[in-house]
Amino acid sequence: MNPEIAKLGHVSLVTPNLDKSLWFFHDVIGLEITERSSDTVYLRANGEFEHHSLILKAGDRAYMDHIGWRVKRPEDVELFEHLLKKSGTEVQKLPKGQETGQGDAIRFQMPTGHNLELYYDVEKPLAPEGERSVLKNQTHKSWNRGISPRRIDHVNVWTSHDPGGAHNWLTEQLGFKMREYIRLDNGQVISGWMSVTPLVHDIAVMAEPNAPTPARLHHVAYWLDNAQDVLRACDILREHGITPDQGPGKHGISQALFTYVRDPGSGHRVELFSNGYLIFDPDWEPVEWTEEELALGLTLWGPTDYIPHRDNHAMDQTTEA
């Protein structure tokens, strides 16, 4: 049996101002703190049982340390290690506990230089007394603080390399399926939305030829229940003195409602995301958007400045293993 990835687990972000970033993600976005040390904080959304979906680390600049993916079976970690090494990918083994709340893991790089991590075992701590939901199928109280997203949804990364190589690698090495993509008139595929779940994308890989480094983070997305929650989020952001980076609007690709906002402590971009559609068809054919349709695909309505090749503000991402 081939190893499989089950879901997006977490994203680890480095910030030059941990206190301000923690204020943003905890008090404004509304993520709950599960554990912290002097220089690292682990957070999760109110509907998440696993130890964390976001790691904030103190550092001298803003960059994404890694993206964590949970595999379907305990043995899949070792099976992926074997397959990746066989294909020529350098793999680092991480023992249980090296990342708080997580079991044995492996870390390696995409062809773009983005760091990925695979694991299965993860702690699922109860919420503290007084913050625990009365719902047995939810960890923390609803609307306990800030915007209160339910879960992490996806991550979007940019690269100055040809993203087609990354798309093929994600399919061949990790089992991702292409769901929607943009093809230019010259035949180049510049953006691809890919998933291992019924979501339209667990990860998107997009081209940014002007990026100063090949491995960039565009955004990490958190899921809100409906469109009204996205509008409510905009009110909450402004009440905290924060202006959304873009939105609200609606993507053509994914059909989702969205608002983008930047963490004032680091500049990392967060997407607040809702609606859209799910894919259950086993014979799904990837949807192609042409160069002429590019703007419509990215923004059906709302501000239209979210265009590849025109945004030079994506955050640096380390190339360290």
Side-chain angles (χ1 to χ4, degrees):
M1 183 179 295
N2 291 329
E4 297 178 88
I5 293 175
K7 52 171 282 195
L8 173 63
H10 62 265
V11 174
S12 179
L13 302 179
V14 178
T15 170
N17 191 330
L18 182 60
D19 288 340
K20 184 174 285 188
S21 292
L22 181 57
W23 168 79
F24 172 74
F25 281 103
H26 179 53
D27 293 5
V28 183
I29 299 297
L31 300 184
E32 303 288 354
I33 298 171
T34 54
E35 199 158 346
R36 66 179 302 175
S37 65
S38 60
D39 62 355
T40 306
V41 187
Y42 299 85
L43 305 102
R44 65 182 178 185
N46 64 42
E48 295 175 328
F49 286 85
E50 296 176 9
H51 186 272
H52 56 274
S53 62
L54 180 70
I55 306 171
L56 294 177
K57 296 182 177 182
D60 60 358
R61 62 186 179 90
Y63 62 90
M64 182 174 67
D65 184 68
H66 69 269
I67 306 167
W69 303 91
R70 193 174 184 205
V71 298
K72 285 192 174 182
R73 295 166 291 269
E75 61 269 25
D76 285 350
V77 175
E78 186 175 350
L79 289 172
F80 268 120
E81 179 186 5
H82 174 73
L83 291 176
L84 287 163
K85 286 182 176 179
K86 188 177 179 180
S87 70
T89 300
E90 185 176 343
V91 178
Q92 176 189 6
K93 298 184 72 168
L94 305 178
K96 177 181 178 181
Q98 181 162 327
E99 183 171 304
T100 302
Q102 183 174 287
D104 293 338
I106 59 172
R107 190 174 295 180
F108 50 93
Q109 289 189 348
M110 292 170 53
T112 55
H114 294 92
N115 291 327
L116 304 185
E117 186 174 274
L118 300 182
Y119 63 95
Y120 177 79
D121 291 320
V122 62
E123 294 178 10
K124 297 182 179 181
L126 293 174
E129 289 287 350
E131 296 187 13
R132 198 171 300 165
S133 176
V134 297
L135 294 168
K136 289 187 174 183
N137 51 15
Q138 183 171 308
T139 50
H140 297 263
K141 289 181 178 179
S142 300
W143 313 114
N144 199 33
R145 71 186 78 252
I147 293 167
S148 292
R150 183 174 292 271
R151 59 171 173 80
I152 195 170
D153 190 87
H154 65 266
V155 62
N156 184 309
V157 299
W158 282 20
T159 181
S160 56
H161 292 169
D162 179 2
H167 299 151
N168 292 336
W169 186 89
L170 285 167
T171 297
E172 295 166 1
Q173 301 299 320
L174 301 181
F176 281 84
K177 297 178 181 178
M178 181 67 75
R179 303 304 196 177
E180 303 196 45
Y181 63 94
I182 296 172
R183 187 187 299 276
L184 299 182
D185 292 344
N186 63 9
Q188 181 188 12
V189 173
I190 61 164
S191 305
W193 287 256
M194 309 181 73
S195 70
V196 290
T197 70
L199 298 178
V200 175
H201 60 314
D202 300 305
I203 186 170
V205 183
M206 308 177 72
E208 176 44 83
N210 299 318
T213 59
R216 310 283 285 187
L217 169 69
H218 187 271
H219 67 261
V220 55
Y222 274 87
W223 171 264
L224 304 177
D225 283 347
N226 54 55
Q228 179 59 41
D229 290 343
V230 176
L231 300 180
R232 173 181 174 273
C234 293
D235 284 348
I236 292 172
L237 291 170
R238 292 299 294 129
E239 291 286 1
H240 286 84
I242 299 173
T243 301
D245 196 41
Q246 184 190 347
K250 181 174 182 176
H251 294 309
I253 296 166
S254 81
Q255 300 186 32
L257 271 292
F258 73 93
T259 288
Y260 291 110
V261 60
R262 288 182 183 271
D263 163 26
S266 66
H268 288 306
R269 187 188 282 110
V270 176
E271 183 178 29
L272 302 169
F273 190 84
S274 189
N275 292 9
Y277 70 93
L278 300 174
I279 297 171
F280 298 105
D281 298 348
D283 57 350
W284 177 265
E285 292 293 331
V287 176
E288 178 178 298
W289 297 77
T290 67
E291 185 169 345
E292 183 179 2
E293 299 164 333
L294 186 150
L296 179 67
L298 294 176
T299 309
L300 182 64
W301 54 261
T304 57
D305 58 339
Y306 173 54
I307 304 293
H309 306 250
R310 299 181 190 172
D311 187 331
N312 296 315
H313 302 292
M315 291 294 101
D316 268 328
Q317 198 271 358
T318 183
T319 56
E320 298 175 0

